[in-house]
Each structure stands twice: as structure tokens, then as C-alpha cells.
Amino acid sequence: MSSLTIFKRELKSYFAQPTAYAIIVIFLLLSLGMTFSFGEFMTVGDASLEYSFFYWHPWLYMLLAPAIAMKLWADEQRNGTIELLGTFPVSTWSAIVGKFLAAATVSLVALALTFPIVITVNYLGDPDNGIILAGYIGSFLVCCTFIAITMLVSACTRDQVVCLIVSVFLCTTMVLSGYDPLSRELAKATSPATVEAVVSLGVLNHFTTLSRGLFRLQDFVWFASFIGICLLGTSTILSAKRA
Amino acid sequence: MIEVAKLSKHFGSKLAVDELSFTVEKGEVLGFLGPNGAGKSTTMRMVTGFLPPSAGDAKICGISITENPFEAKTKIGYLPESAPLYNDMTVIGFLKFCAAIRGLVGPEKNEAVEKAIETCFLESVAHQSIETLSKGYRHRTCLAQSLLHDPEVLILDEPTDGLDPNQKFEIRQLIKRLGETKAILFSTHILEEVEAACTRAVIVDRGKIVADGTPAELIAQAPNGSLTELFRKVTTTDTAA
Ligand SMILES: Nc1ncnc2c1ncn2[C@@H]1O[C@H](COP(=O)(O)OP(=O)(O)O)[C@@H](O)[C@H]1O
Ligand SMILES: [Mg+2]
């Protein structure tokens, strides 16, 4: 119940300020721009959207998800409103969940607004819409993962800029650790076991299988537990800060 | 109503509150005096459940804030020191949010918000964005937030700080009026406020209570009949501490 109240407040706050609009517009411009330029959507005729469209999402989220979520706790701490929240009869956990869902909703709106591309591929060809749906789910989960990471960082600092920089760094690492050209370089320098460990820590591995239309339980478990751990960490940090 | 028992708080090696004990009954307004850094805000943050105490406990209407924080918090209205607010909301939007989080819904919520707006003289700015409010209005908006659920216990951290003399007067009158039916703990370092609004006052210094009594008793203790002299006698200055 109180999660819902906090969720509504956060969501309103996103849309009361230019934040959400700016992020959504930039996401739409970049994701569609990539699809038609580097994604070579028109020449390749990639109807599943895997390479032309979804491929770019983690690279966009590693910059945009921190921009969405950086204020979640940094702002509360800077303005002192965390003291109000901490003395209302709500648990830290329901505040965390409410805030997380609000940020996730903003990204969901951005993602939903890319629907013209789905209409386009259906108009031009005969794609497997199940694979496209899987791509959307994977994309959304990657964004949620990055939002959760940013939320954790946001609990550590009252400075949004610091939070942004650190979170972008962490999210970038999560993307790069599964990036093939880098893995190949790494393989030359270290053992295959190391490479595998690094790749499995990254987000691309789990995202790619989903965007190919493969629903593997292990990927969902990975996303859910990663997000869960970040949210629990947020709760731990917020309590530790008061002790 | 408020029973504070041997409450202590360490920040690292620094002892901010040192085994503080006091009680506030219904119908009482307790003034919490002390120099800056005495530990007033820290005490209030522990009593309201924001900070966990290093030792000791506080009971609100008999409910322990450390053992049953959720229940205890429903009994408290709290105005934090800096009157924090969500700048991206309007005054009425903020108050509605606070009422909703207190579990008020529907017409009950709207009534509570209207009443708080009236009590704190916020009618003229109700639909204004909080970002654009002057300091006095910000303070009163945050005060209004603490009254929404008609709490039995009010804890106000420097409620008159930064207000002009007219606003100070209004807030003191309000505290006095509310104090007839509630237990109020409010901190200040303005000594006239004690005589103007309190039924009892304690002076804290470096986390300990150094004087306690009705305003009249305190004045009787004072070297030359002025609270200022008593205050200066029993407390240490910032620089000496
Ligand atoms: N979060 C904190 N970390 C470290 N020290 C703190 C913290 N909060 C307060 N203090 C210290 O505790 C002492 C009491 O502070 P405070 O309760 O704010 O005093 P008052 O409200 O009476 O002016 C001060 O010396 C202050 O520096
Ligand atoms: Mg203070």
C-alpha cells in the first residue's frame, strides 16, 4: 500500500519535470537512429529486430538508466526528505520497491513507444513476433538491472553527479564484460576459465539469448537475483548510514 | 505519552546524546533548550525512529520505538530541523502524499489536508510549487505535514527557526493551542519562546540534561532572574566543547 503511494509520487515527479521526457526522447532517437544507421535495418532486412534494434539497447541503457535512477536516493539525502520518509510509518523496503518500480515504469514507457518499429517489420515482412516479444522482455530486464545498480549507488551518496558517474562506469563494465571483441582480447591474455567468469558476470550473455527468442530459466533467475541483491544492498546501505 | 529512558547515541567515538531521560505527558509542552550541537536534533531523531539509539529506548504512548517502530510512528507528528520538502510538488500535492502515506484515503484525506492548510495558514500558496515558496511558508508546509493525522505526540525541531517575528508569534500560539490536547516536545535556542509557549523546559548540554523545571522554576534558579543567565551558566560554549 505505501509502496504504491511512493510509486505514484515518484512517477509524478518524473513527469512533472523534464527528466522523463528528455530520457524517453533521447532513447527513441538513439534506438531508432541506431537501427537505421549502424543496424542497417533496411539493407539486412532483419525482421526479428535482434541485430538491428535490440542489439543496441544495453549500450543505450548503460548511459540512460543511471540518468533515470540517479536521483532516487541521492535527492532524498540531499534535501533531507529521507528524514520524513524515515519517520513515516513505512518500511525502507516498501520505499525501495516503490522507487524502483517508478524508474522501471519510465523505461517501460520509453520501450513501449518504440512500437512503430514492430508495426513496420510486420508490414514489410513476416517476423516471428514471439522473438520480438522476447527481445522486449530481455531489453526491459537489462534496463531494470541497471536501474537497480544505480539505485544502490544512489543510496551511497547525496550527490547525483557522483552517482551518475559511478553508475555509468559500473553499467558500462557490465556491458563490456560480455562484449565479444574484448573477450577475445582477454582470452589471449588469460585462461578460458577467467574469460567465462567475466562473461557470465556481464549482462550481454543473458540478454542475447533472450533477444534470440530463447527463454532460459537461468537467465530469468540471473536477472531476478541480480536485481534482488541490488535492492537488498540498497536497504542495507540506507540502514547502515543511520546507525 | 513520550517516555525517554537512558537514550544514548554515539557517532563514531563522539557521544552526541548521553543517557538522556525525560517524560512528556498529555497536555504538556516541553521546551528542549540547549546550545548548538548539544544533541537536541539527535535525540529527536531517535525518538521519532529515524536514528536507531546506541542504547536506551523511547516509548510513544507506551509503544517502544525500537521494538515496534511501525506502530509508534503512527502516533507521532514530526517537523525535522531543516523542514525538508519535495521541491517538485505543490503544497497541496505534498500534503496529500503525506496523508496517503499515513493511511488516510478519500474524503477523510481531503478533510485532513484542508484542515492542516487552514491551521498553518497555507491557503494562499496551496497550489504553488514548493520550490518557489519563501522560507516561512516552507516551514509551515512541513509543520502542516506533521499535523495531518492528528497525532497524539508532536515533535518539532526548531519550529520557529528562520521565521519573522509575526510568524514566530503565530507558531508559538499554535503550539500552545495544540499542547492542550497533545504531548509536544519542541526544541529551540530562543529563550523567550520558553516563557511564551512551554509548560516545562529542560536545558541540554553536551548530550546531558543540566536543568529541568517550569519556566518559573528555571527563572528562580537563575543568578539574576533571567533565563539567559541560567543558560549561560549551565551550558558550555561551542568553542569550549
Ligand atoms: N550524522 C552524524 N554524524 C556524526 N556526528 C553527528 C551526526 N549528527 C549529529 N552529529 C554531532 O552530534 C552532536 C549533536 O548534534 P545535534 O543533535 O544536531 O545538536 P543540536 O540539534 O542540539 O544543535 C553535534 O556535535 C554533531 O556534530
Ligand atoms: Mg538541531
Side-chain angles (χ1 to χ4, degrees):
Chain A
M1 190 54 217
S2 44
S3 278
L4 186 65
T5 312
I6 289 169
F7 167 78
K8 281 194 208 151
R9 197 208 82 73
E10 291 292 334
L11 199 60
K12 257 190 220 155
S13 143
Y14 274 120
F15 287 98
Q17 288 173 319
T19 335
Y21 301 105
I23 290 168
I24 290 172
V25 168
I26 290 172
F27 175 77
L28 290 178
L29 285 177
L30 288 179
S31 65
L32 297 179
M34 289 297 195
T35 305
F36 288 97
S37 57
F38 300 113
E40 299 181 327
F41 174 66
M42 296 316 263
T43 43
V44 174
D46 170 24
S48 76
L49 294 175
E50 183 200 336
Y51 293 103
S52 55
F53 178 64
F54 290 119
Y55 179 83
W56 306 103
H57 286 194
W59 302 87
L60 300 179
Y61 291 145
M62 74 190 194
L63 303 173
L64 293 179
I68 300 176
M70 63 182 181
K71 69 158 193 167
L72 287 178
W73 289 104
D75 226 24
E76 295 278 345
Q77 297 182 76
R78 153 115 338 144
N79 293 332
T81 41
I82 192 157
E83 201 168 338
L84 283 180
L85 217 48
T87 52
F88 286 148
V90 295
S91 64
T92 312
W93 188 242
S94 45
I96 290 174
V97 171
K99 279 167 179 281
F100 174 76
L101 292 180
T105 305
V106 173
S107 71
L108 196 59
V109 171
L111 209 48
L113 287 176
T114 60
F115 72 92
I117 193 115
V118 182
I119 296 177
T120 310
V121 285
N122 273 289
Y123 177 75
L124 292 178
D126 184 21
D128 183 340
N129 281 314
I131 296 184
I132 293 180
L133 180 67
Y136 269 109
I137 292 173
S139 168
F140 179 59
L141 286 175
V142 171
C143 192
C144 286
T145 307
F146 290 172
I147 286 172
I149 292 176
T150 310
M151 181 132 147
L152 179 71
V153 177
S154 170
C156 301
T157 176
R158 53 172 59 207
D159 193 324
Q160 290 197 35
V161 177
V162 172
C163 175
L164 180 69
I165 294 168
V166 175
S167 318
V168 168
F169 170 75
L170 292 176
C171 296
T172 307
T173 312
M174 297 275 300
V175 172
L176 288 180
S177 67
Y179 185 50
D180 274 343
L182 273 184
S183 309
R184 262 179 262 128
E185 286 305 310
L186 195 64
K188 281 181 207 156
T190 60
S191 66
T194 323
V195 177
E196 202 172 315
V198 171
V199 170
S200 69
L201 268 181
V203 78
L204 281 186
N205 190 13
H206 305 278
F207 171 63
T208 315
T209 44
L210 260 174
S211 69
R212 289 193 185 135
L214 231 57
F215 287 94
R216 289 193 309 186
L217 183 64
Q218 69 206 71
D219 295 320
F220 287 102
V221 170
W222 186 86
F223 280 118
S225 40
F226 200 96
I227 292 169
I229 288 168
C230 285
L231 298 191
L232 277 176
T234 307
S235 161
T236 312
I237 289 169
L238 288 174
S239 326
K241 276 203 144 181
R242 295 189 202 160
Chain B
M1 295 286 254
I2 311 175
E3 298 164 66
V4 174
K6 297 206 165 175
L7 211 55
S8 302
K9 184 74 188 177
H10 296 273
F11 291 110
S13 63
K14 188 179 161 66
L15 189 59
V17 177
D18 187 4
E19 298 208 336
L20 212 64
S21 304
F22 59 87
T23 59
V24 188
E25 298 300 329
K26 182 173 173 166
E28 247 187 335
V29 178
L30 180 69
F32 210 44
L33 302 176
N36 282 319
K40 305 182 294 291
S41 301
T42 306
T43 306
M44 292 180 153
R45 287 181 182 138
M46 288 191 284
V47 174
T48 52
F50 178 63
L51 289 177
S54 304
D57 194 7
K59 285 203 171 94
I60 311 296
C61 306
I63 306 162
S64 160
I65 190 77
T66 52
E67 280 158 28
N68 197 351
F70 195 88
E71 276 291 304
K73 282 172 182 177
T74 61
K75 310 274 185 199
I76 307 175
Y78 175 46
L79 169 68
E81 186 165 22
S82 54
L85 298 166
Y86 290 106
N87 289 323
D88 50 48
M89 304 177 97
T90 62
V91 171
I92 196 159
F94 172 73
L95 293 176
K96 281 190 172 163
F97 162 70
C98 295
I101 224 163
R102 294 280 184 187
L104 298 170
V105 284
E108 210 187 351
K109 177 170 91 175
N110 293 336
E111 237 167 69
V113 169
E114 261 168 47
K115 194 167 161 222
I117 285 179
E118 204 178 301
T119 312
C120 299
F121 314 103
L122 292 166
E123 289 95 343
S124 60
V125 296
H127 294 280
Q128 199 172 321
S129 159
I130 287 176
E131 214 163 16
T132 62
L133 292 182
S134 66
K135 184 153 186 192
Y137 277 117
R138 287 183 64 94
H139 237 84
R140 278 186 273 166
T141 305
C142 204
L143 181 64
Q145 159 278 129
S146 70
L147 302 174
L148 284 169
H149 52 302
D150 194 21
E152 291 170 66
V153 167
L154 262 184
I155 297 181
L156 311 172
D157 200 349
E158 305 197 3
T160 57
D161 182 46
L163 302 185
D164 69 36
N166 292 332
Q167 294 166 334
K168 277 188 178 147
F169 178 80
E170 277 165 18
I171 296 290
R172 278 179 214 154
Q173 294 301 309
L174 179 64
I175 289 174
K176 227 173 162 174
R177 184 154 59 78
L178 292 168
E180 287 162 13
T181 55
K182 301 179 193 300
I184 301 186
L185 171 65
F186 87 96
S187 75
T188 177
H189 44 235
I190 305 167
L191 297 168
E192 309 91 76
E193 230 148 61
V194 177
E195 289 172 81
C198 298
T199 57
R200 200 158 65 84
V202 295
I203 303 179
V204 237
D205 183 47
R206 287 191 273 174
K208 283 198 170 89
I209 291 179
V210 289
D212 180 355
T214 62
E217 284 167 3
L218 289 176
I219 288 169
Q221 280 179 37
N224 54 8
S226 101
L227 267 177
T228 316
E229 284 305 314
L230 177 69
F231 187 87
R232 287 186 53 77
K233 198 180 106 189
V234 298
T235 61
T236 36
T237 55
D238 250 5
T239 43

